[in-house]
Amino acid sequence: MKIATLNLCYNAHRWEERFPLIVQSILDHEIDLIGLQEVWTRMGNRNQAQVIADAVNQQLGEEIYQVSFTDSTRENSRMGIATLSRQPVTEFTWISLPGPWRVAQLVKLSVEDKVFGFINTHFHNRPAKEETIRLPQAVRLMEWVQAQVFPCLIVGDFNAPPPRDTILHIKKTYASAYETIHGCEPAFTCPTPLIAPRPSEIVDYLFFDANAFHVKTCELILTQPAPDDDTLYASDHFGMLAEIEMIKAAR
């Protein structure tokens, strides 16, 4: 099974040109589950994740991918998070996180009679240099994870580099897929050359329950520009993709 995460950078920075790159990557990698952040809600009568799923399904010739979307709790919000799944979703739920208008969502799935959860989230980006908002969000997230009766995968944009208490708290019980394969986190996951230069950061992760899952590979994706335009990237974040297998169905 292949899982991924990608911050879409909502509908800014040449979205109409970036959009086909994202669709093609999902098709090329045959991604089973992808957590999307900064999903723009107002694209006609659909949200951005639905636009992507519709385009992928059209290429496949059938309704393979389904969308589970959670709006931000911010009043008059125009963004949220979404999970695209090519596996049947048996249950969908979400929670609010402490601090301003952030959420986490969970889709429950059963693959080859093994039940697990896929959790997608986007932590707050402020304050930039300390964890007064993000750490409580991590604590609440992991309380929710531990309350599940099935093992989980966690993906998203956590807006915190590896040494921060936010990430260290998650790593007390869950492992990083990229770090497991490579011995360290990537050099950076954002920004890409799509936007004006700014300090590079590691903020995107795939976490897994090492008692229940085995990670076979984990790499950054969407790291190259469009073939005919070296300034055009799929997002201001790189995506991350892991191939995993479930080795234990329950704790």
Side-chain angles (χ1 to χ4, degrees):
M1 180 170 56
K2 294 179 180 179
I3 68 168
T5 185
L6 177 66
N7 184 313
L8 292 176
C9 193
Y10 54 106
N11 66 339
H13 302 290
R14 304 169 67 187
W15 162 249
E16 294 295 337
E17 297 171 86
R18 299 190 287 114
F19 163 61
L21 303 179
I22 296 169
V23 170
Q24 193 61 50
S25 183
I26 293 172
L27 290 166
D28 289 346
H29 292 290
E30 299 181 322
I31 298 171
D32 293 288
L33 289 156
I34 180 167
L36 302 173
Q37 305 86 44
E38 293 193 9
V39 177
W40 193 249
T41 61
R42 303 181 185 186
M43 305 192 77
N45 61 354
R46 298 176 294 171
N47 64 55
Q48 199 170 18
Q50 291 169 323
V51 170
I52 293 170
D54 287 350
V56 174
N57 288 336
Q58 184 177 30
Q59 290 289 324
L60 293 172
E62 55 183 317
E63 296 294 314
I64 298 292
Y65 285 88
Q66 62 185 100
V67 178
S68 301
F69 174 76
T70 306
D71 204 347
S72 163
T73 57
R74 185 178 188 177
E75 187 177 357
N76 296 320
S77 169
R78 296 186 179 186
M79 278 194 290
I81 60 175
T83 296
L84 268 59
S85 174
R86 64 183 293 159
Q87 305 291 343
V89 173
T90 61
E91 186 178 328
F92 172 53
T93 188
W94 64 275
I95 59 169
S96 296
L97 297 176
W101 39 270
R102 297 291 169 143
V103 296
Q105 58 177 191
L106 182 153
V107 296
K108 181 181 175 183
L109 306 105
S110 179
V111 178
E112 298 178 352
D113 296 324
K114 294 178 179 178
V115 177
F116 67 98
F118 181 85
I119 292 175
N120 175 34
T121 193
H122 186 190
F123 284 4
H124 209 282
N125 62 327
R126 300 290 180 186
K129 299 298 184 182
E130 42 92 355
E131 304 298 278
T132 53
I133 294 178
R134 284 183 293 271
L135 181 55
Q137 290 177 339
V139 171
R140 177 69 184 99
L141 176 72
M142 297 313 293
E143 289 173 347
W144 192 44
V145 170
Q146 295 302 326
Q148 307 306 317
V149 297
F150 41 79
C152 293
L153 302 159
I154 309 170
V155 310
D157 175 356
F158 295 83
N159 270 313
R164 295 278 177 84
D165 288 343
T166 295
I167 302 304
L168 295 177
H169 181 78
I170 297 171
K171 286 183 177 180
K172 287 179 181 178
T173 50
Y174 268 53
S176 160
Y178 195 96
E179 184 178 41
T180 296
I181 294 299
H182 299 277
C184 62
E185 300 295 354
F188 68 98
T189 62
C190 77
T192 71
L194 178 70
I195 62 173
R198 69 177 190 230
S200 59
E201 301 176 291
I202 307 164
V203 295
D204 305 276
Y205 302 86
L206 304 174
F207 296 111
F208 68 101
D209 181 346
N211 294 314
F213 299 96
H214 169 66
V215 176
K216 301 168 71 173
T217 63
C218 187
E219 302 293 341
L220 297 181
I221 58 173
L222 295 167
T223 58
Q224 299 300 315
D228 57 349
D229 185 346
D230 62 8
T231 68
L232 179 63
Y233 283 73
S235 178
D236 64 334
H237 289 238
F238 294 141
M240 187 178 289
L241 173 74
E243 185 176 0
I244 64 156
E245 59 183 355
M246 197 168 181
I247 56 177
K248 184 178 179 182
R251 296 186 183 91

